[in-house]
């Protein structure tokens, strides 16, 4: 299935002017030119950071917009997805952020021109699941532990100036503390307890970059949640885990353990740790994560097996 451009779908474009290092004017002009050449009507909105983007997107769906474009990082994308969950409206991703994790996971080109051109070339619409916490949705991962603490420590201005280096510096600081936490978890109502440096509920196999995968069998469209425990108490543990991930030997490494859930996952901890969803802080423990199958439609390249 492809976007029917012959029907000239009314298109809503969201641009984050502070995401990553891409220039706002360049991104806007290229999107306008590509749509304008094909007489596709569009409205462009430049984010301020103060808006309720989820509500705005939902209002645009009610106004009759049929196609949505998100030009920004994973945070911008997450807010747009929040507004589109449960609709039939396809989403085009123009990755201009720091990590662009969802674009990498779905093989979407990271170059702006190529990402825009994807809509007008051979493509497919992939329907993926979402994870729900309260009224918020995530499509990559929700976690507590070292990763969420890393995000809590990185200041927005520092991230804008240094990009990935700011995240990596904070991550290294957290990892070298070698802290673990005892999590109380219910997977589909079945209780368990274990120690972990990081506890993730994952919908995607990758961790930031495609070469690092939690479990290659994790799929974004199988209607399941994946609960992954990462435990390490030394530099050698982390290095060993990274090597295993790069070589595809995750299932043979005791530092990582992934389990499936079909409905929901409840997570609690004595320490009320911060929780991240797709790179943004979304609250603190305890939380309940529910699966929302077939929640969002993404324009992606045609994959070859």
């Amino acid at each position: 299935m492809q976007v029917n451009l012959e029907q000239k779908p009314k298109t809503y474009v969201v641009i984050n002017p502070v995401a990553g290092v891409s220039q706002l004017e360049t991104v806007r002009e290229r999107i306008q030119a590509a749509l304008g050449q094909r007489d596709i009507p569009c409205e462009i909105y430049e984010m301020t950071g103060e808006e309720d983007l989820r509500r705005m997107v939902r209002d645009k769906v009610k106004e009759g917009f049929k196609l949505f474009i998100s030009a920004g990082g994973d945070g911008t994308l997450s807010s747009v997805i929040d507004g589109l969950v449960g609709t039939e409206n396809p989403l085009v991703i123009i990755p201009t952020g720091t990590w662009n994790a969802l674009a990498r996971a779905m093989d979407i080109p990271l170059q702006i021109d190529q990402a825009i051109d994807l809509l007008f070339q051979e493509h497919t619409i992939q329907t993926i699941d979402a994870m729900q916490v309260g009224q918020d949705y995530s499509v990559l991962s929700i976690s507590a532990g070292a990763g969420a603490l890393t995000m809590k420590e990185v200041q927005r201005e520092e991230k804008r100036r240094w990009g990935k280096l700011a995240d990596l510096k904070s991550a290294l600081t957290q990892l070298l503390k070698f802290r673990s936490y005892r999590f109380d978890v219910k997977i589909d109502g079945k209780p368990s307890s274990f120690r972990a440096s990081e506890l993730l509920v994952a919908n995607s196999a990758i961790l930031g970059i495609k070469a690092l995968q939690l479990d290659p069998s994790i799929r974004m469209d199988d209607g399941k949640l994946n609960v992954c425990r990462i435990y390490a108490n030394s530099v050698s543990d982390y290095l060993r885990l990274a090597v295993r991930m790069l070589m595809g030997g995750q299932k043979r490494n005791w530092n990582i353990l992934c389990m499936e859930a079909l409905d929901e996952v409840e997570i609690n901890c004595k320490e009320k740790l911060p929780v991240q969803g797709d790179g943004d802080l979304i609250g603190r423990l305890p939380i309940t994560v529910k699966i929302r199958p077939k929640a969002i439609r993404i324009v992606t390249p045609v994959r070859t097996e």
Side-chain angles (χ1 to χ4, degrees):
M1 181 183 294
Q2 294 193 359
V3 177
N4 189 346
L5 297 177
E6 293 183 359
Q7 293 185 352
K8 311 296 182 185
K10 191 177 179 182
T11 303
Y12 190 66
V13 183
V14 176
I15 298 178
N16 186 346
V18 299
V21 295
S22 299
Q23 295 297 317
L24 168 64
E25 292 297 326
T26 300
V27 175
R28 182 174 58 196
E29 288 173 3
R30 291 178 180 177
I31 294 175
Q32 281 181 320
L35 296 174
Q37 288 172 5
R38 297 162 176 85
D39 297 321
I40 297 175
C42 74
E43 179 180 330
I44 295 180
Y45 178 76
E46 296 174 14
M47 293 177 60
T48 65
E50 303 297 326
E51 61 278 280
D52 184 347
L53 192 55
R54 175 176 59 186
R55 180 188 58 78
M56 291 175 59
V57 169
R58 288 180 178 174
D59 288 345
K60 294 302 175 182
V61 172
K62 294 177 182 178
E63 291 175 20
F65 284 85
K66 299 297 183 183
L67 179 65
F68 288 77
I69 298 177
S70 173
D74 291 317
T76 304
L77 187 55
S78 180
S79 297
V80 175
I81 285 174
D82 267 1
L84 290 178
V85 165
T87 73
E88 295 296 315
N89 303 77
L91 173 63
V92 177
I93 299 173
I94 312 296
T96 65
T98 304
W99 288 98
N100 304 309
L102 182 57
R104 295 176 189 275
M106 306 196 75
D107 296 326
I108 293 169
L110 300 182
Q111 293 74 26
I112 294 173
D113 287 334
Q114 293 181 21
I116 295 172
D117 289 344
L118 175 62
L119 176 63
F120 310 107
Q121 299 172 350
E122 185 180 12
H123 64 265
T124 187
I125 299 176
Q126 186 174 349
T127 305
I128 63 174
D129 306 327
M131 300 172 292
Q132 182 176 3
V133 176
Q135 298 301 311
D136 297 319
Y137 295 91
S138 302
V139 294
L140 292 169
S141 70
I142 295 169
S143 72
L149 289 168
T150 293
M151 294 167 193
K152 182 175 181 292
E153 295 300 322
V154 177
Q155 299 297 318
R156 180 173 294 274
E157 287 301 318
E158 185 179 6
K159 189 166 184 176
R160 285 181 61 189
R161 182 177 181 183
W162 298 107
K164 293 180 181 179
L165 291 178
D167 286 334
L168 293 174
K169 175 186 175 183
S170 180
L172 182 61
T173 300
Q174 291 298 328
L175 292 178
L176 290 179
K177 292 179 181 178
F178 304 122
R179 293 197 62 185
S180 64
Y181 309 91
R182 179 163 293 281
F183 292 95
D184 296 313
V185 183
K186 284 186 179 180
I187 300 176
D188 294 335
K190 184 178 180 180
S192 61
S193 179
F194 42 74
R195 282 201 164 272
S197 309
E198 179 90 5
L199 185 67
L200 301 99
V201 181
N203 191 42
S204 169
I206 73 167
L207 283 175
I209 61 175
K210 200 158 188 177
L212 294 178
Q213 298 195 17
L214 290 164
D215 184 336
S217 66
I218 294 176
R219 295 176 55 88
M220 302 184 74
D221 59 358
D222 61 0
K224 299 176 183 178
L225 296 169
N226 299 274
V227 184
C228 296
R229 180 223 68 187
I230 296 177
Y231 182 84
N233 56 19
S234 68
V235 172
S236 61
D237 280 347
Y238 281 115
L239 290 176
R240 191 180 302 112
L241 177 57
V243 170
R244 284 289 190 183
M245 286 181 169
L246 291 170
M247 297 178 64
Q250 298 91 326
K251 293 183 178 180
R252 298 189 301 273
N253 190 288
W254 70 271
N255 296 101
I256 186 168
L257 172 66
C258 291
M259 301 155 281
E260 289 185 347
L262 300 177
D263 185 23
E264 69 177 31
V265 179
E266 299 177 39
I267 305 173
N268 203 350
C269 182
K270 184 177 180 181
E271 299 184 53
K272 304 305 178 184
L273 297 171
V275 178
Q276 71 83 26
D278 288 357
D280 285 335
L281 294 177
I282 60 173
R284 289 183 175 273
L285 294 179
I287 61 166
T288 298
V289 184
K290 297 182 179 182
I291 185 68
R292 182 73 181 268
K294 308 295 183 184
I296 187 76
R297 306 173 76 212
I298 309 289
V299 174
T300 67
V302 176
R303 300 191 182 195
T304 57
E305 296 299 332

